Amino acid sequence: MTHKGNILAVDDTPASLKLLTDILKDEGYEVRSAISGELALNSALKNPPELVLLDIRMPEMDGFEVCRQLKGNPNTCDVPVIFVSAIMDIDEKVRGFDMGAVDFVTKPYQRDELLVRVRTHLEFDRLRNHLEEQVEERTRKLMESEKKLRAGMLDFVTAIAATIEARDPYTAGHQRRVAHLATAIARGLQLPEERIEGLTLASVVHDIGKIRIPAEILCKPGRLDDLEFSLIKRHAETGYDILKSINFPWPIAQIVLQHHERPNGSGYPCGLKKGEILLEAEILAVADVVEAMKSHRPYRAGLGLDVALQEISDNRGVLYNSEVVEICLKLFRERDYSLPA
């Protein structure tokens, strides 16, 4: 059988470790097991795995310390870590994400849920690494095949976006629709095609940071509490951290970082004001709000296009760039624009 990936499973309870190992092996993964934090750390440093499934409550060296040391070592700092734990406390989850974990699976877990999350993070990490390699390689050949380079980057970026959206069926297609509207607004503003191309790419991955938000929060049917919302708000910074090392010919990472900033300074994460925000980020902000309000979410039904357009109209110059809002309104009300399905 061809192995689907190299995984390190860590749990101090033999029965739990065997169950986790057997599930992964049956699915075709190559699995190394470690029954303590120290053994896990030694194994990972000698031969870095593609993914670590890590228990938290372990004697001597707990999962948090293992994760901290993995992230502090240049040979393992990029290895995705998923905590598999009975811990339900949101403060502990926040601590784990602060240390660099990409996800939590809560015990007792469902087999299918575990495998979906493992597959998602492995695919995402491979796509990201492959994207970096492709960008570096093709940038060297930019003068001879610029068109092919950019088409390839869009393909890879779109693949990453699809991997992220697979975790949340309620937002499937959101980034693609936002990119479509953002591009139309940018053309209405007569931005150069060079800038429009960068905006399109940024729009396609503007929610890439949500890969590190627990699926149960993304899909929660009720209202989020303050701590859960604070995790959601981190996605802009997380997206920036993921993208900043990739040498795009556009400020993709900055656009993603700023797409929740607002002209009156009430946005996040930096509280930027009018004149400090990239125009591409302001375009993306309007497109994001319109698509999100129009669409269904687990906590509410879609509010409809009229409500979404009224929101941006009422708050132009305050929460949204006035020129961007004007073009967006004209697209829908005068030019028969409609969001793709």
Side-chain angles (χ1 to χ4, degrees):
M1 178 185 293
T2 301
H3 289 300
K4 295 181 178 179
N6 178 3
I7 298 174
L8 174 61
V10 189
D11 198 310
D12 68 317
T13 304
S16 296
L17 184 59
K18 184 178 187 305
L19 175 62
L20 183 60
T21 301
D22 288 347
I23 289 174
L24 294 168
K25 285 184 175 179
D26 288 345
E27 193 64 17
Y29 293 104
E30 181 179 354
V31 185
R32 285 178 283 154
S33 302
I35 202 163
S36 72
E38 184 176 359
L39 290 174
L41 191 60
N42 289 337
S43 176
L45 293 178
K46 288 179 181 177
N47 182 17
E50 291 184 83
L51 179 75
V52 177
L53 292 171
L54 181 59
D55 188 23
I56 293 178
R57 292 287 181 253
M58 296 186 293
E60 297 181 8
M61 182 183 292
D62 66 12
F64 290 132
E65 179 60 19
V66 174
C67 184
R68 186 189 70 78
Q69 293 199 36
L70 288 174
K71 294 303 173 182
N73 189 293
N75 294 323
T76 55
C77 62
D78 292 328
V79 175
V81 174
I82 298 177
F83 282 119
V84 182
S85 173
I87 288 178
M88 300 290 290
D89 184 55
I90 194 68
D91 289 328
E92 294 286 86
K93 291 187 176 183
V94 170
R95 182 183 174 192
F97 284 115
D98 282 341
M99 289 185 170
V102 297
D103 210 344
F104 270 82
V105 175
T106 303
K107 295 178 182 178
Y109 50 80
Q110 296 293 321
R111 177 183 180 277
D112 289 344
E113 177 195 6
L114 173 73
L115 292 175
V116 165
R117 296 199 187 192
V118 166
R119 185 175 68 250
T120 295
H121 287 289
L122 279 172
E123 290 177 355
F124 172 78
D125 201 56
R126 289 166 182 167
L127 283 167
R128 181 183 179 280
N129 291 336
H130 192 34
L131 175 59
E132 289 184 355
E133 293 169 3
Q134 288 293 318
V135 171
E136 290 174 1
E137 171 65 21
R138 297 189 183 189
T139 297
R140 286 193 291 268
K141 301 177 180 178
L142 183 60
M143 297 305 296
E144 60 185 85
S145 60
E146 184 174 358
K147 185 175 181 180
K148 184 178 179 181
L149 163 68
R150 294 184 177 181
M153 281 195 291
L154 179 58
D155 289 343
F156 284 118
V157 167
T158 302
I160 288 177
T163 301
I164 299 163
E165 290 184 342
R167 301 178 69 226
D168 181 6
Y170 291 97
T171 59
H174 166 72
Q175 295 183 114
R176 175 177 53 82
R177 291 189 292 270
V178 169
H180 194 277
L181 176 54
T183 301
I185 294 172
R187 290 210 166 96
L189 288 167
Q190 298 184 338
L191 263 63
E193 283 299 318
E194 174 79 13
R195 291 181 68 180
I196 293 175
E197 194 171 1
L199 170 61
T200 301
L201 284 174
S203 300
V204 168
V205 291
H206 72 275
D207 279 340
I208 192 172
K210 288 184 178 178
I211 193 73
R212 292 185 183 169
I213 297 173
E216 57 266 31
I217 293 179
L218 289 177
C219 300
K220 183 178 178 179
R223 185 181 180 86
L224 298 177
D225 61 33
D226 290 344
L227 194 52
E228 290 168 334
F229 185 57
S230 72
L231 274 178
I232 292 285
K233 288 171 68 175
R234 292 186 182 197
H235 77 276
E237 292 174 280
T238 302
Y240 171 79
D241 289 339
I242 291 171
L243 296 167
K244 66 183 180 182
S245 63
I246 303 176
N247 188 27
F248 290 108
W250 313 277
I252 303 293
Q254 282 292 340
I255 296 170
V256 169
L257 178 66
Q258 295 180 13
H259 79 277
H260 280 289
E261 301 289 354
R262 298 295 181 253
N264 68 349
S266 65
Y268 62 86
C270 301
L272 303 180
K273 295 183 179 180
K274 180 179 179 180
E276 299 174 330
I277 308 170
L278 291 171
L279 177 57
E280 288 89 340
E282 294 184 306
I283 295 171
L284 175 53
V286 169
D288 188 27
V289 167
V290 170
E291 200 288 329
M293 292 185 69
K294 180 180 180 297
S295 301
H296 292 286
R297 290 293 183 266
Y299 51 87
R300 61 154 172 81
L303 301 176
L305 179 61
D306 289 340
V307 173
L309 296 182
Q310 193 63 51
E311 158 67 18
I312 62 172
S313 179
D314 290 345
N315 290 288
R316 69 174 84 191
V318 180
L319 299 181
Y320 315 108
N321 179 295
S322 297
E323 292 181 86
V324 173
V325 169
E326 181 180 356
I327 294 297
C328 185
L329 295 175
K330 284 183 178 179
L331 283 172
F332 285 100
R333 294 174 176 173
E334 300 177 17
R335 301 177 188 173
D336 296 323
Y337 174 84
S338 60
L339 286 165

